[in-house]
Amino acid sequence: MNFQGCPGSRMMDMRRPAADGAPAAAPGSTPSQLRQWPVQLHLISPMAPYYQGADVVLTADCVAYALGGYHAEHLKGKAIAIACPKLDDGQDVYVEKIRSWFDDAKINTLTVMIMEVPCCRGLSALARRALESAARKVPVKEVVVGLDGTIRQSEWLGA
Amino acid sequence: METTFEQQLERPVKSVLADFPALGALLGEFRIGCVDCGVGSCKFKEIEDIHRLAPEAERDLWTRLARIIEPGRTAQLPVRERAPAAPAASASPPIRQLVAEHRWILRWAAVIPRLAAELDLNREEDRRTVLAGVDFIRHYADRRHHGKEEDILFRYFDSGLDVLQAMLTDHVAGREHVRAIEAGVAARDDAAVREHLLAYAVLIREHIRKEDDILFPWLDRQLLDSQVGQMYAQFLEADRRFDRDPRQLENFVAELEARFDAAPAAAAR
Ligand SMILES: [Fe+2]
Ligand SMILES: [Fe+2]
């Protein structure tokens, strides 16, 4: 195995038999839990009505592809924004938008969902910076998702 | 005993332990302290859910418990098929706040034996110290801290839960000790004040141990994120409404420790 280079972009082959005997759901029959548009952090307004007092899940771009139950188990009942801490430009804008969620939208909680690859920690770091600069304190949780689609760690970072 | 292992599972753990005293040592091996637990209202089958063991340990525990209750028969074990569970989240911010308040209450409880040993209510200073202790218990431990538990945290759960009732009973018992301490100071009754101070210290240490080690982690695991956020906001609001300076109340404990040369770190574990 090649251990050189960035672990976040190292190739891994995880092919396995599809869906362990479970019958495939009829196309279009799995309900979406998305209740808003847009979702990308540069595109959203933190003052949009669906963020007011909400439980917000700030999700790294790759997470929803790795986690089989993302919609039902993590997005349900929450407002969302997505971002990539490795590739996106203008991350100071991100910090300001997250701060505005805390102070202006008066969100109830923030859950930051990231992949286990090291560069993804950057998204939690943005949330921490925003929390430090916010006047209002809100519980912030970090959920780390494994490349195999399991939850590796779930931790309240503080408030 | 003609009841089967499966029937025993539905009985209160205290009754099962009374019939099979050998179970106590086995539970102790798994650090499940039902024998000394003052609550003891859990059903036998609930002990694992409340104390949370690793899956292999859970199977091992039930196998051995079943062997004591019904030797020679293979019982149906109450091992739940758990999804490869997501690791439990660390303590949520509101629970952490309660645990931080516990540290101050434990520090106060830790100096009580020193205060009680040298107590002489004919001395003005001792009367003032004991009454300051009463003030700390009433406003910090009871109104500020137990207030958050009773008026906020416990309201997120079924108020009929025996374990919550047991916690409320402890709170009431603490208040009775405080009244007795106050009356003892007025009557300059050293023996009564000493007795109730020490009884309060024993009560509150055991109470906090149950909350920190068992109750709070169990409650925390059941809270939804949205409830954690609401509870945190309610705690902030309760602190905003609190009309005393919590630092001043905490300072009373720190000063008492300085006077008795007690090490705060040890007291707070
Ligand atoms: Fe309590
Ligand atoms: Fe407590």
Side-chain angles (χ1 to χ4, degrees):
Chain A
M1 207 184 282
N2 174 16
F3 282 102
Q4 285 171 343
C6 168
S9 41
R10 191 172 70 231
M11 188 180 72
M12 288 178 71
D13 187 343
M14 303 185 289
R15 280 178 286 189
R16 59 195 155 197
D20 316 4
S29 68
T30 305
S32 170
Q33 299 297 339
L34 186 64
R35 298 287 178 267
Q36 65 177 76
W37 192 263
V39 295
Q40 211 292 328
L41 190 49
H42 275 309
L43 302 181
I44 61 104
S45 160
M47 294 305 290
Y50 36 79
Y51 291 123
Q52 299 289 324
D55 295 293
V56 178
V57 59
L58 173 60
T59 309
D61 290 350
C62 300
V63 164
Y65 299 100
L67 261 185
Y70 178 75
H71 273 250
E73 292 161 28
H74 301 278
L75 179 56
K76 191 175 182 185
K78 291 186 172 169
I80 185 183
I82 63 169
C84 174
K86 187 181 171 82
L87 303 176
D88 295 354
D89 292 328
Q91 298 195 8
D92 286 342
V93 178
Y94 284 175
V95 174
E96 175 50 27
K97 286 193 176 187
I98 300 168
R99 187 206 57 76
S100 181
W101 276 338
F102 294 136
D103 283 338
D104 306 321
K106 303 201 177 347
I107 63 169
N108 188 47
T109 58
L110 176 67
T111 301
V112 184
M113 296 191 72
I114 59 174
M115 297 302 298
E116 63 181 333
V117 296
C119 44
C120 224
R121 299 273 167 186
L123 196 59
S124 305
L126 294 181
R128 277 185 213 262
R129 269 172 61 198
L131 186 62
E132 278 161 21
S133 66
R136 207 171 143 267
K137 298 302 169 202
V138 169
V140 176
K141 185 159 88 173
E142 178 190 68
V143 176
V144 180
V145 177
L147 302 187
D148 60 356
T150 61
I151 303 293
R152 285 292 154 81
Q153 198 187 314
S154 179
E155 189 178 2
W156 289 99
L157 299 179
Chain B
M1 249 306 96
E2 71 273 31
T3 42
T4 63
F5 174 72
E6 289 81 352
Q7 286 164 324
Q8 297 289 354
L9 290 172
E10 302 298 327
R11 300 178 64 211
V13 64
K14 285 278 181 198
S15 318
V16 182
L17 279 168
D19 293 342
F20 300 93
L23 298 175
L26 179 53
L27 289 173
E29 209 181 294
F30 286 81
R31 305 196 55 235
I32 298 179
C34 295
V35 177
D36 339 289
C37 173
V39 183
S41 49
C42 308
K43 282 185 182 169
F44 187 40
K45 68 175 177 188
E46 292 167 340
I47 54 173
E48 199 285 325
D49 186 44
I50 291 174
H51 292 269
R52 273 278 165 126
L53 299 172
E56 320 76 61
E58 183 189 354
R59 185 166 288 281
D60 182 32
L61 171 67
W62 284 120
T63 307
R64 290 165 66 190
L65 290 170
R67 226 177 270 151
I68 293 173
I69 291 174
E70 279 193 280
R73 174 174 163 259
T74 309
Q76 185 69 41
L77 302 181
V79 178
R80 289 161 299 120
E81 282 317 319
R82 278 189 295 213
S90 53
S92 65
I95 294 292
R96 273 187 216 176
Q97 206 180 317
L98 292 176
V99 170
E101 289 167 358
H102 282 170
R103 300 280 83 85
W104 282 103
I105 300 168
L106 285 175
R107 284 170 65 169
W108 153 241
V111 290
I112 284 178
R114 311 282 288 274
L115 174 63
E118 298 175 15
L119 188 72
D120 177 359
L121 291 172
N122 288 316
R123 286 199 300 246
E124 157 83 28
E125 191 198 356
D126 282 16
R127 292 197 298 275
R128 233 184 308 126
T129 304
V130 174
L131 291 178
V134 164
D135 187 62
F136 175 83
I137 299 174
R138 280 213 175 119
H139 295 282
Y140 192 93
D142 203 26
R143 205 156 56 83
R144 180 180 172 85
H145 176 77
H146 294 158
K148 283 189 195 116
E149 292 173 351
E150 295 183 8
D151 301 337
I152 303 172
L153 172 66
F154 293 176
R155 301 256 168 115
Y156 284 85
F157 299 89
D158 175 0
S159 61
L161 278 173
D162 287 338
V163 63
L164 296 187
Q165 288 301 323
M167 294 299 112
L168 295 179
T169 304
D170 284 350
H171 293 175
V172 170
R175 285 166 203 144
E176 280 159 12
H177 287 306
V178 169
R179 269 191 291 275
I181 293 165
E182 205 174 33
V185 173
R188 311 260 167 117
D189 184 343
D190 285 349
V193 169
R194 199 174 289 127
E195 178 197 328
H196 286 284
L197 274 172
L198 292 171
Y200 172 82
V202 170
L203 172 82
I204 205 70
R205 291 180 80 131
E206 183 56 22
H207 179 78
I208 287 174
R209 193 186 64 77
K210 281 181 232 160
E211 289 183 337
D212 282 357
D213 294 355
I214 300 163
L215 181 66
F216 286 178
W218 183 62
L219 297 181
D220 216 1
R221 285 197 294 273
Q222 300 173 61
L223 288 171
L224 305 172
D225 289 352
S226 58
Q227 294 175 317
V228 167
Q230 285 159 14
M231 194 182 304
Y232 186 75
Q234 288 171 304
F235 278 16
L236 286 180
E237 182 52 33
D239 283 347
R240 217 180 345 259
R241 280 199 313 264
F242 187 63
D243 55 7
R244 293 284 300 270
D245 175 6
R247 301 289 153 268
Q248 181 245 321
L249 291 160
E250 290 165 357
N251 275 342
F252 154 74
V253 176
E255 281 164 16
L256 207 55
E257 283 170 344
R259 184 175 135 197
F260 288 110
D261 217 11
R269 291 196 287 194

